Amino acid sequence: MKKLLDLKADESGVIASVEGDARFVSRITSIGLTPGCAVQVIKNEKRRPVLVYSRDTMIALNRSECEWICVEEGENV
C-alpha cells in the first residue's frame, strides 16, 4: 500500500483508507474521496498541489493532505 503522494502522473489506484483527525477525514470524504473509490493522478510535480481525477471530477489536493490518504495501486479509473 502507498500514500497518494507516492503515485506518479498517469498512475491510478483505489483509496484504502483516509487517516488524520476528524475534521480532515470529514472534509476529504465529503468531496467524494472515500475508501473503495478509484483515483487517477493527473499531475504530481514537486512543490505543487497534486491533481487527481475521481468520480468524474478533477480535485487538487495539498501535498501534505496526500500523506494521509493510503491507496492500493493498479485499479483503472
Side-chain angles (χ1 to χ4, degrees):
M1 197 165 358
K2 289 185 167 185
K3 302 292 184 182
L4 183 58
L5 187 61
D6 297 333
L7 295 182
K8 295 177 175 58
D10 295 325
E11 289 186 332
S12 52
V14 174
I15 295 179
S17 66
V18 179
E19 302 168 355
D21 63 16
R23 182 175 161 247
F24 173 73
V25 172
S26 175
R27 188 173 70 79
I28 291 300
T29 56
S30 71
I31 60 174
L33 297 179
T34 57
C37 174
V39 294
Q40 179 178 6
V41 174
I42 305 300
K43 278 190 177 181
N44 186 357
E45 299 172 355
K46 291 182 180 179
R47 298 185 182 163
R48 307 294 269 168
V50 177
L51 186 62
V52 298
Y53 179 78
S54 179
R55 299 184 191 248
D56 297 326
T57 304
M58 296 284 245
I59 302 166
L61 296 168
N62 184 314
R63 296 186 74 75
S64 63
E65 293 174 337
C66 293
E67 288 285 336
W68 296 100
I69 302 171
C70 297
V71 296
E72 293 178 9
E73 283 186 277
E75 187 70 27
N76 290 331
V77 176

